[in-house]
Amino acid sequence: MKMKPCRVAKTLTCAAVLSIFALSACKPADQTKIDQSISGTEWVRPPSLENATWNGNSIRLDGEAEPNGRVVLADPSGRVYAVNAKPSGSFEIELNVPDQGLYLKPRSQVGQEFIDGQGLVFLRPGEHPVAVTLTDGEASYRLAHNNALEAVDSDGAMLIVSGHASTTAIPKLLVNGQPMPVELDGLGHWAVVLPAGTGAALIQLDDKAYHYPGLGAVESGVEFVSDGWRITRKIGDKAVQSTWLPVDR
């Protein structure tokens, strides 16, 4: 099984919204403990999406799954996109994405049973295309690593600022003028968590400035604001999570 190194930065409890931010400095971790007793199968690796390549409204998604396993990406309407993984476990799938965007849930199919992968994938084409894995309470993971600052996630009480360094040099990060320590994992990913309110923040990463717009409203859904996509959704019964995905120009 091909596993990528992943260092968990820290875990904080956000009592104000009864949610937990399990903060990872890299891609969403593979689920290593999944109850498959219902189907009576041995452990099956759920799919993990790793990269995305856009060509207009068409996108190619690459990832890892159970060797020779069946990978299914399902949208909320019930439409599915499926492919078989190679003997190595790698897979790729191409699909067209509507202008308004598309949410997909990665799953492994074993017989008539489905095993969920971690996170929810959001895709949207256009002038500023976005492909991201959203995970409740964790740093979001951009599938096209072309931004130094990849995402800012918030539940209104905590911020997770995450990014990807193209070199081994430690990036200089300031949030509202305050320097923040950054540590890279083996793949160049990093994440920093800090307490914050619902408002906007100035984030400076090396020589670039980003104007984080603050927590969004659930009814806003997906919107382009402050030179980035902001996706706001409910997690659990009451909590809200906003993910802001800046666009480097």
Side-chain angles (χ1 to χ4, degrees), residues 6-195:
C6 175
R7 179 185 57 78
V8 175
K10 59 184 75 175
T11 301
L12 296 179
T13 301
C14 224
V17 291
L18 302 178
S19 66
I20 294 177
F21 271 76
L23 304 173
S24 172
C26 58
K27 57 173 289 193
D30 293 319
Q31 292 174 314
T32 56
K33 293 182 180 179
I34 297 178
D35 183 5
Q36 300 181 35
S37 59
I38 296 176
S39 62
T41 64
E42 296 182 355
W43 186 84
V44 174
R45 180 180 180 178
S48 174
L49 294 173
E50 299 179 355
N51 298 289
T53 305
W54 286 97
N55 182 14
N57 279 43
S58 174
I59 189 170
R60 188 189 74 198
L61 299 170
D62 302 283
E64 298 285 338
E66 182 74 8
N68 299 312
R70 186 71 168 168
V71 177
V72 172
L73 305 178
D75 71 15
S77 71
R79 183 175 180 179
V80 298
Y81 307 84
V83 67
N84 289 329
K86 299 176 182 178
S88 64
S90 66
F91 70 89
E92 63 180 52
I93 186 169
E94 295 190 20
L95 53 98
N96 290 321
V97 182
D99 291 337
Q100 69 271 23
L102 182 65
Y103 286 98
L104 294 172
K105 182 63 182 175
R107 295 183 172 120
S108 287
Q109 183 177 1
V110 183
Q112 298 302 312
E113 301 291 337
F114 293 90
I115 301 165
D116 285 349
Q118 191 176 23
L120 182 68
V121 177
F122 177 73
L123 309 171
R124 184 160 182 161
E127 183 181 359
H128 304 297
V130 62
V132 61
T133 295
L134 309 168
T135 305
D136 293 355
E138 295 188 11
S140 296
Y141 180 74
R142 297 280 280 266
L143 298 172
H145 307 294
N146 53 4
N147 280 65
L149 178 65
E150 293 205 331
V152 181
D153 289 274
S154 176
D155 66 354
M158 297 288 171
L159 278 182
I160 315 171
V161 183
S162 58
H164 179 255
S166 57
T167 70
T168 57
I170 303 296
K172 182 180 179 182
L173 174 68
L174 289 85
V175 180
N176 289 331
Q178 297 297 314
M180 298 293 164
V182 173
E183 295 182 34
L184 306 180
D185 72 2
L187 299 173
H189 296 285
W190 57 268
V192 173
V193 59
L194 60 153

Side-chain angles (χ1 to χ4, degrees), residues 218-238:
V218 172
E219 56 269 20
S220 298
V222 180
E223 53 189 335
F224 195 80
V225 57
S226 295
D227 284 332
W229 290 105
R230 183 171 62 185
I231 306 167
T232 306
R233 60 199 180 93
K234 290 186 68 175
I235 56 173
D237 294 331
K238 298 180 180 180

